[in-house]
Amino acid sequence: MTRQPRGSNHPTRRGVLAGIGAGTLASLAGCLGDDDSTDEGRPDWPHPHFSSQGTSYNPRATGPESKPSEAWGVEVGGLALSRPVVFEDTVYYATAEQIRAFAVEDGTEKWAVGVEAKSGFRSSLTVDSDHVYVGKTGTRTGVIAFTHDGEEAWHAPTESSVSAPIARPGQNPGYVYAADTDGYVFRIRTSDGTVEWQTKVFGPATALATQLDEPVVGTEGGEVVTFLDEGPGHEPTGLWRTKVPGGVQALATVHEDVFVGMFGGGVARLRGGLRAGKVGWHQPDSSPHRSLVVSPDHVVSTDGSGIHAYDRRGGSLSWESNGDFFAPPAGTGDTIYTADTSDNGGVVAYDRSGGFGFGNARLGNHRWKYPLASGAVTGPTPAHDSVFVVESGGESGPARLVALRAE
């Protein structure tokens, strides 16, 4: 069968990747180019990891660089599925029972939608110019798309619940990818929810990203699988599969490389191109929660021991800082935002370069900390001139969605 390319970049990439088999954890691979993206970013944060590449990094400098104050706060119930997402002038917040939309400027609620009995929302939210997408379980298990007014647009059935973020390829707005806990991966048409193809990986899918607009899937059993999408009606072709030492918690892609965070297994860089799937470096000491920040120079991971920034190219530890960071970090411009989830925690901002010094003994890397009552319960979301986060409220107080802005 002759395979027709979807875009001008695909023929060359297919030729490079055609003969590549599965990768394994191995010795350090040789160096390939690491040109930084020329993307100038955008002012909002429409995906839990900023974009479907999963980098949780916006090259545009959004959010407060100096210590902020609270611009507004609203009480929210339930356990957050992920950090808030921001599309244009709206902040979206989801729990298992409800999706709510608030005005960026002052926190006014625009709309709210609940879930049916014996059902629940499962994934974080992904938003584009047409819809708000979320995974759902129970009655009508699958992916639900809502309009920006909170009206249901369509339902796409899946084999089981979708908990990984739904990925919208940047250059192809006519479809999204989703992956479920039975290990099925789906391509779904955004105009009406038609499932255009489905395929299967081994074990529950826990992470989903795109690489050059193609799907990359991480599994609970510790595998990373990449596919070549042949278009509607054609099952995708597996490109490579790599076993990693821990269940996949985070995936991010930059050019042809894949960065993976594992439960109890640390962080690794998997090479692309002619070395596809081979490990470029592996750092076992920091196991991220849900996402990594992959900036032009660093890969940043947070866990209960603190924040660790590794050199993106070689994997050496560039800087670190202690803290109870049981939430995913975010990066914009030259700032890294983290959420301290301890009782006296809050939002902490660091200089991306790490300042000067060695290890924890550094000058100039800590920019500011804003305390929150009983700590944060989500990662921070930097967008426009604000950072959005949900504070715990403690054992008896209500959780609150808070907007922080510099004075």
Side-chain angles (χ1 to χ4, degrees), residues 267-279:
V267 179
R269 177 191 185 187
L270 307 183
R271 301 307 303 266
L274 296 176
R275 298 176 174 86
K278 301 295 183 181
V279 171

Side-chain angles (χ1 to χ4, degrees), residues 200-278:
K200 200 172 192 299
V201 295
F202 296 100
T206 52
L208 176 65
T210 62
Q211 181 182 52
L212 303 175
D213 282 349
E214 309 285 357
V216 183
V217 183
T219 72
E220 185 178 85
E223 285 191 330
V224 178
V225 187
T226 66
F227 292 96
L228 181 65
D229 183 356
E230 299 292 336
H234 300 278
E235 185 168 330
T237 302
L239 292 176
W240 55 262
R241 186 177 76 200
T242 293
K243 180 70 175 176
V244 294
V248 177
Q249 297 289 298
L251 283 177
T253 69
V254 177
H255 306 304
E256 292 185 326
D257 289 344
V258 177
F259 297 87
V260 55
M262 298 152 277
F263 180 77
V267 179
R269 177 191 185 187
L270 307 183
R271 301 307 303 266
L274 296 176
R275 298 176 174 86
K278 301 295 183 181

Side-chain angles (χ1 to χ4, degrees), residues 302-370:
T302 57
D303 62 11
S305 66
I307 181 171
H308 302 80
Y310 302 109
D311 177 75
R312 198 182 91 180
R313 188 182 187 92
S316 60
L317 180 65
S318 296
W319 59 270
E320 61 183 334
S321 183
N322 294 331
D324 292 331
F325 298 134
F326 287 109
T332 67
D334 62 359
T335 303
I336 302 294
Y337 298 94
T338 62
D340 188 332
T341 55
S342 63
D343 287 345
N344 59 350
V347 178
V348 186
Y350 293 92
D351 187 299
R352 196 184 84 199
S353 69
F356 305 94
F358 181 79
N360 286 320
R362 310 191 68 86
L363 296 174
N365 73 321
H366 186 282
R367 288 188 165 171
W368 53 261
K369 177 178 180 179
Y370 185 88

Side-chain angles (χ1 to χ4, degrees), residues 34-59:
D34 272 333
D35 296 335
D36 293 333
S37 172
T38 58
D39 182 11
E40 295 180 353
R42 53 186 296 162
D44 52 8
W45 192 281
H47 185 280
H49 311 321
F50 180 64
S51 73
S52 64
Q53 286 74 47
T55 61
S56 293
Y57 176 75
N58 183 358

Side-chain angles (χ1 to χ4, degrees), residues 56-390:
S56 293
Y57 176 75
N58 183 358
R60 184 168 178 166
T62 61
E65 293 189 2
S66 59
K67 186 173 181 178
S69 58
E70 182 176 314
W72 55 260
V74 294
E75 294 184 5
V76 290
L79 181 63
L81 294 174
S82 182
R83 72 170 110 226
V85 298
V86 180
F87 183 80
E88 295 183 347
D89 62 353
T90 305
V91 186
Y92 297 90
Y93 172 78
T95 68
E97 297 83 23
Q98 197 174 44
I99 299 172
R100 300 173 70 181
F102 303 93
V104 163
E105 180 59 31
D106 59 8
T108 300
E109 186 169 60
K110 295 183 173 184
W111 55 264
V113 60
V115 74
E116 304 100 326
K118 299 182 180 179
S119 301
F121 298 122
R122 287 295 305 275
S123 77
S124 50
L125 301 176
T126 296
V127 187
D128 64 16
S129 58
D130 297 316
H131 299 113
V132 179
Y133 306 95
V134 66
K136 182 174 172 290
T137 188
T139 304
R140 299 187 305 144
T141 292
V143 175
I144 303 289
F146 295 96
T147 69
H148 289 175
D149 295 325
E151 300 295 327
E152 183 176 320
W154 49 256
H155 162 246
T158 59
E159 300 294 331
S160 62
S161 61
V162 172
S163 57
I166 293 152
R168 175 192 177 276
Q171 302 302 318
N172 295 283
Y175 60 89
V176 293
Y177 295 118
D180 70 15
T181 53
D182 278 354
Y184 286 92
V185 184
F186 305 85
R187 171 175 158 146
I188 302 170
R189 192 161 63 209
T190 56
S191 60
D192 58 8
T194 297
V195 175
E196 297 183 325
W197 57 246
Q198 70 181 63
T199 190
K200 200 172 192 299
V201 295
F202 296 100
T206 52
L208 176 65
T210 62
Q211 181 182 52
L212 303 175
D213 282 349
E214 309 285 357
V216 183
V217 183
T219 72
E220 185 178 85
E223 285 191 330
V224 178
V225 187
T226 66
F227 292 96
L228 181 65
D229 183 356
E230 299 292 336
H234 300 278
E235 185 168 330
T237 302
L239 292 176
W240 55 262
R241 186 177 76 200
T242 293
K243 180 70 175 176
V244 294
V248 177
Q249 297 289 298
L251 283 177
T253 69
V254 177
H255 306 304
E256 292 185 326
D257 289 344
V258 177
F259 297 87
V260 55
M262 298 152 277
F263 180 77
V267 179
R269 177 191 185 187
L270 307 183
R271 301 307 303 266
L274 296 176
R275 298 176 174 86
K278 301 295 183 181
V279 171
W281 54 259
H282 176 218
Q283 282 281 3
D285 294 333
S286 180
S287 296
H289 292 266
R290 297 183 186 158
S291 68
L292 301 162
V293 170
V294 182
S295 74
D297 45 11
H298 292 115
V299 177
V300 180
S301 175
T302 57
D303 62 11
S305 66
I307 181 171
H308 302 80
Y310 302 109
D311 177 75
R312 198 182 91 180
R313 188 182 187 92
S316 60
L317 180 65
S318 296
W319 59 270
E320 61 183 334
S321 183
N322 294 331
D324 292 331
F325 298 134
F326 287 109
T332 67
D334 62 359
T335 303
I336 302 294
Y337 298 94
T338 62
D340 188 332
T341 55
S342 63
D343 287 345
N344 59 350
V347 178
V348 186
Y350 293 92
D351 187 299
R352 196 184 84 199
S353 69
F356 305 94
F358 181 79
N360 286 320
R362 310 191 68 86
L363 296 174
N365 73 321
H366 186 282
R367 288 188 165 171
W368 53 261
K369 177 178 180 179
Y370 185 88
L372 295 169
S374 303
V377 293
T378 66
T381 304
H384 300 291
D385 59 352
S386 306
V387 61
F388 303 91
V389 67
V390 177

